[in-house]
Amino acid sequence: MDDVAKLAGVSISTVSHVVNETRAVAVSTRARVLAAIESTGYTGNAIARSLVTGGTKSIGVAMSLLANPHLAELIHAIEAEATRAGYTILLGDTLDSPDGERDAVRKLQARRVDGMLLTPAPGDTATLEQLARTGVPAVLVDRVSHKVKLDQVGPENIQSTSALVSHLAAAGHRRIAFISGVEWMVASEERTLGYRLGLGRAGLRWDSNLVAGGGASHEDGVLALRRLLTVPERPTAVITGNGAMTAGAVREATAHGLRIGEDLAIVGHDEVEWAELVRPSITTMAHPVDEIGRTAVRLLLDRLNDREHAPRTVLLPPRLIHRESCGCDRTAASG
């Protein structure tokens, strides 16, 4: 900073005000300081600055690098919103396991992040409860929980799943099956509720034989549809809980010689990059991944500014992308 100040012909405090944006500086003076910074390669010392300000202007992001198919899009949205607010992000891989999550959170806290964005690992409430109990500013992203008092943002699941049922029922389907997700996830419970709601709205009877699941992988989709196809009066349409299980269902239907969109309609939650590439193309309920990431950052910044307000849950509506696998008129309106 001393070298920058001498080169720009200003005081060290002026350099500090320019770097930390703690006070207005004349445009010409600011330009000289920035030019001097560029010339000297000065980067500042975030750790030293944190000892003075009490913050590092950094956000920890704890997520699974393998379990989230939309991770790149989500991280891009988070980083763009964080950068706009003057923050950097540090990423920790939770491995989608309780132990991995605890380790990632601990390492991010050791880096003195100001707050944390977290996609909870299956079955781990201990880490979430500790964050809530110790008052660490944190936001749950994509996977919400009713068990902890933390800010959170994710997709709306009840009405969107009901809309998928309504879409299929409007095409004449009366045996609509549902492949649900992991049992512990709130999203799975909500989508099952939305499925039942949609059946009721369409005047269709609930049949437990038409519900299978308890997983989230490609193989789970294969096994679930395999079981559903053994039902005496088998389904003519299937709704899946995520993109991986949609792929599994498509694979299993094809293995049985079924024509997707004709013998069996398949629609699913999560937009996947291959949905438009296969034939028939796949009708999906696309989650607003970009807006989820940006909203997560905004919630965290609000929490950093006011740590006393009640935790908020934001549910963002997905969008139906109408393609061919539902077997109905593609020109119909889709939300």
Side-chain angles (χ1 to χ4, degrees):
M1 287 183 70
D2 184 58
D3 291 340
V4 170
K6 289 177 180 177
L7 189 60
V10 298
S11 66
I12 291 179
S13 63
T14 298
V15 175
S16 176
H17 289 312
V18 171
V19 171
N20 298 308
E21 298 182 349
T22 49
R23 195 185 72 189
V25 176
V27 175
S28 59
T29 303
R30 177 180 173 82
R32 293 204 311 276
V33 171
L34 293 177
I37 288 173
E38 180 70 21
S39 175
T40 61
Y42 172 75
T43 59
N45 188 325
I47 299 301
R49 185 161 58 247
S50 73
L51 297 176
V52 177
T53 66
T56 59
K57 299 289 282 187
S58 62
I59 294 172
V61 179
M63 296 178 179
S64 170
L65 304 185
L66 297 177
N68 190 332
H70 306 292
L71 185 70
E73 182 181 358
L74 186 60
I75 292 297
H76 177 75
I78 288 171
E79 185 167 33
E81 192 67 20
T83 299
R84 190 183 67 81
Y87 283 77
T88 58
I89 67 169
L90 300 175
L91 182 62
D93 188 358
T94 66
L95 304 175
D96 214 30
S97 72
D99 288 343
E101 180 169 275
R102 284 192 292 272
D103 186 56
V105 167
R106 186 163 48 245
K107 288 178 178 177
L108 289 170
Q109 288 182 303
R111 298 295 298 272
R112 298 175 61 89
V113 294
D114 295 339
M116 197 168 303
L117 304 181
L118 174 73
T119 298
D124 184 20
T125 57
T127 300
L128 306 185
E129 290 171 350
Q130 181 182 17
L131 291 172
R133 185 172 60 253
T134 56
V136 174
V139 177
L140 305 188
V141 184
D142 194 42
R143 296 174 180 171
V144 303
S145 172
H146 297 325
K147 297 180 180 179
V148 292
K149 295 182 178 180
L150 291 170
D151 295 306
Q152 47 195 335
V153 56
E156 190 285 323
N157 294 299
I158 298 175
Q159 297 300 330
S160 58
T161 307
S162 176
L164 286 174
V165 177
S166 298
H167 184 74
L168 293 169
H173 292 283
R174 292 296 175 264
R175 298 285 289 172
I176 302 172
F178 179 55
I179 300 177
S180 64
V182 180
E183 291 182 359
W184 69 268
M185 287 179 59
V186 171
S188 298
E189 298 173 0
E190 292 179 340
R191 289 172 192 167
T192 300
L193 178 58
Y195 168 68
R196 300 192 69 157
L197 178 64
L199 291 177
R201 287 173 171 172
L204 301 178
R205 181 174 58 87
W206 160 267
D207 184 348
S208 59
N209 289 324
L210 293 180
V211 178
S217 69
H218 178 282
E219 188 62 22
D220 290 324
V222 169
L223 297 176
L225 185 60
R226 187 175 299 170
R227 186 184 77 73
L228 289 169
L229 293 178
T230 65
V231 175
E233 189 181 352
R234 71 186 192 186
T236 62
V238 175
I239 298 170
T240 66
N242 68 19
M245 292 196 295
T246 300
V250 168
R251 171 185 164 189
E252 186 64 12
T254 303
H256 279 75
L258 298 175
R259 295 167 299 174
I260 297 169
E262 297 181 44
D263 302 320
L264 181 69
I266 298 179
V267 302
H269 277 275
D270 286 350
E271 172 67 348
V272 288
E273 60 184 14
W274 51 265
E276 275 281 8
L277 304 179
V278 299
R279 289 293 175 267
S281 55
I282 307 300
T283 295
T284 62
M285 188 63 76
H287 296 173
V289 178
D290 183 87
E291 189 58 27
I292 286 173
R294 292 179 182 276
T295 301
V297 175
R298 294 176 196 136
L299 286 173
L300 183 59
L301 296 179
D302 287 348
R303 175 61 57 187
L304 291 171
N305 290 328
D306 180 5
R307 304 200 181 198
E308 300 303 320
H309 69 72
R312 289 183 289 169
T313 296
V314 178
L315 301 178
L316 299 171
R319 178 172 61 93
L320 178 64
I321 301 181
H322 188 195
R323 297 192 179 100
E324 300 165 338
S325 65
C326 52
C328 49
D329 183 6
R330 194 174 181 182
T331 64
S334 51

